[in-house]
Amino acid sequence: MGGFTDVDEICFGCRRDRAVRNDGLIQCPGADAARHHLEIGLAIAEGAIEECAKNNVAITVAVLDRAGRMRIFIASDNPSPHNFELARRKAYTARTFRRPSLQWAQQTKDGADLAGQRQLADVIPLGGGVPINVGEDTIGAVGVSGSSQTGDEACAKAGVAKVADQLK
């Protein structure tokens, strides 16, 4: 088996050490891997919506793969129009920096050593984005918008927790 650089472009939720080479392509094992990855992403989004629904909060959820590409984009009933963009950018921030977007926002405040990171395209210093990890490997992220920053983050974490047993 060769290097696994192409795995990032193919797999969402597949650990690199489980990827296999097949006719020159690196793929996740199993014929239904792509469907399985979408099911995991959808379960994360549904878990976040269910958690926020407990407080009667309408949200939008974005789930990104390890390359930062949108895989799932879903909203509960009656979200605000701007929530779509905010959810995507929160997820992108969490994926890019491999930490919750609220934590990143606090670490990049004016005057901080990392403040310049806020100038990067598509990142946003708001809570609600959470990385999706398998061990120490960040395989994607989820972003939630519609509640408070801490409320959005709690809902995003609940979504990831819903599939934690599948992320091992």
Side-chain angles (χ1 to χ4, degrees):
M1 295 222 176
F4 289 101
T5 57
D6 293 336
V7 171
D8 293 345
E9 299 303 318
I10 297 171
C11 298
F12 167 79
C14 180
R15 288 180 26 190
R16 290 178 190 211
D17 61 343
R18 291 186 183 167
V20 295
R21 208 171 264 289
N22 182 10
D23 294 330
L25 296 175
I26 298 172
Q27 300 174 336
C28 293
D32 296 324
R35 189 181 92 234
H36 176 69
H37 299 158
L38 289 175
E39 289 172 354
I40 289 174
L42 186 57
I44 291 170
E46 290 172 339
I49 288 172
E50 290 165 4
E51 183 66 23
C52 275
K54 292 176 184 177
N55 296 317
N56 201 29
V57 175
I59 62 166
T60 301
V61 183
V63 180
L64 280 55
D65 64 13
R66 70 170 69 239
R69 295 176 303 211
M70 187 84 65
R71 292 299 184 188
I72 302 290
F73 206 44
I74 191 168
S76 57
D77 292 335
N78 301 315
S80 295
H82 64 275
N83 287 355
F84 292 95
E85 179 68 11
L86 290 173
R88 183 190 66 79
R89 290 178 65 187
K90 289 175 181 186
Y92 185 80
T93 302
R95 169 56 197 107
T96 299
F97 297 104
R98 299 183 312 273
R99 66 186 61 127
S101 59
L102 184 58
Q103 178 185 352
W104 177 82
Q106 293 165 344
Q107 293 173 335
T108 60
K109 289 182 177 178
D110 286 341
D113 288 344
L114 302 175
Q117 291 179 346
R118 289 185 176 205
Q119 302 303 311
L120 294 169
D122 289 332
V123 298
I124 192 163
L126 296 173
V130 174
I132 302 167
N133 295 320
V134 175
E136 296 296 316
D137 190 19
T138 301
I139 61 163
V142 57
V144 172
S145 182
S147 182
S148 65
Q149 292 185 60
T150 54
D152 286 347
E153 185 170 314
C155 293
K157 285 180 177 179
V160 175
K162 184 174 181 178
V163 299
D165 62 324
Q166 298 177 60
L167 298 173
K168 296 180 179 178

